[in-house]
Each structure stands twice: as C-alpha cells, then as structure tokens.
Amino acid sequence: MTNSILHSIQEKWPYHWILVSLLLIALVFIIYTEATNNDYHLDDYPHIAKNPAVMVTQLGFNELLEAVQKSLLPSRPLPYITFVVDGWRGGGKPGTFQWTNISIHAMTTLLVFAFILCLLRQHYTNNKYLIWFACAGAALWAVHPIQTQAVTYIVQRMA
C-alpha cells in the first residue's frame, strides 16, 4: 500500500514541487515563529531602532533613498530598503523585521532545495526519490543551528 502511494506521488512531479515547497516553508515558519517575539539586539539599534532614516511614517522613493544615503553602511542599499519598508509597515515593531527575516530564510531554503536537486540529477538521473533526498538536505540546512543568528538577529539580513 505504501509503495503504491509513493509511486503515484512520484508520477506527479508538479505536485511534488508544491508539496515539498509547502513542507519546507512550513518547517521554517514552525521552527522560527517564536523569534517574532524577540526585541532588537546589539547592532539592530544603530542600524534600525535608533536610525531615523529607517523608522519612517510614510513610504516613498525619497524615504528609501534617504535611508540608503544616511545610514551607517550606504554600500548596502538593499537591506536598508527592506528595513525602511519593515519599519514603515510594522510601526517599528521588531516582530515585523523578524517575519521578513523568516520569509527570506524560507525562500532561501527553497533555493537550497533546487540547488541540491540539480546537483543530484547530474549524477543520478534515474532515481525517483531524488526530490525527497533534496528536500531532506534543504530541511537540514534550514533548521541547522548555525542559521539561527542569521534568521533571528535582524541586522544579519545584511549578511
């Protein structure tokens, strides 16, 4: 019975991608949801919490440009732009920044999954379980303790 279920699942590749994506995203959100209760830490204060260029009440091109130009590291525009959007969107609450970090980590987990699957397919073209091996590898990457700081420490979005 179990083999026939696995076989029928294996025949439907598009559904595999959806299932694996949902599983990996759910895993990331389950593991890191408690981080949304964290406060700002260390470098979060000068870069985000006490940075008037990031904590804006209205969002526009000028606010984004000012955040990039007047922040501590103007050579890193993308993180500052996301900080401004989060600061505006969440009213400066750290949980909003945390949700964005978790979302970025979930998307990166999907990219790791795709990368592992591509590598496996180059060497094992006829194995019907490659997608599940890649899923396991991406899941291990997603929940590995070394990732905790990058996800839960807001300013690490720059890394």
Side-chain angles (χ1 to χ4, degrees):
M1 178 81 174
T2 306
N3 286 339
S4 64
I5 293 171
L6 288 175
H7 182 67
S8 67
I9 291 173
Q10 291 294 331
E11 290 176 352
K12 299 175 178 81
W13 273 98
Y15 298 113
H16 278 123
W17 285 93
I18 294 168
L19 178 62
V20 167
S21 297
L22 291 175
L23 285 172
L24 290 171
I25 290 169
L27 177 67
V28 169
F29 278 87
I30 289 167
I31 294 295
Y32 290 107
T33 296
E34 287 300 315
T36 59
N37 298 324
N38 288 348
D39 203 355
Y40 297 111
H41 300 292
L42 305 169
D43 288 348
D44 291 342
Y45 288 102
H47 289 279
I48 302 166
K50 296 185 186 241
N51 185 348
V54 168
M55 295 299 185
V56 298
T57 56
Q58 62 183 25
L59 185 63
F61 180 76
N62 290 336
E63 286 79 14
L64 297 175
L65 187 61
E66 185 175 318
V68 171
Q69 292 173 343
K70 293 186 177 179
S71 292
L72 296 174
L73 297 172
S75 61
R76 298 195 175 177
L78 186 58
Y80 280 111
I81 289 171
T82 63
F83 291 154
V84 170
V85 172
D86 284 348
W88 168 77
R89 186 170 59 95
K93 295 177 186 161
T96 306
F97 294 89
Q98 295 289 354
W99 280 116
T100 300
N101 278 12
I102 293 168
S103 299
I104 291 169
H105 190 64
M107 289 184 281
T108 306
T109 300
L110 295 179
L111 292 174
V112 168
F113 161 72
F115 177 70
I116 293 171
L117 186 59
C118 286
L119 287 177
L120 289 173
R121 280 188 175 167
Q122 286 182 352
H123 298 288
Y124 307 101
T125 55
N126 293 327
N127 191 327
K128 61 183 178 180
Y129 298 107
L130 290 183
I131 195 166
W132 300 109
F133 294 140
C135 179
L140 287 172
W141 179 88
V143 301
H144 195 281
I146 202 165
Q147 305 297 351
T148 303
Q149 182 179 355
V151 179
T152 61
Y153 184 21
I154 299 168
V155 83
Q156 285 298 339
R157 189 180 304 176
M158 290 188 192

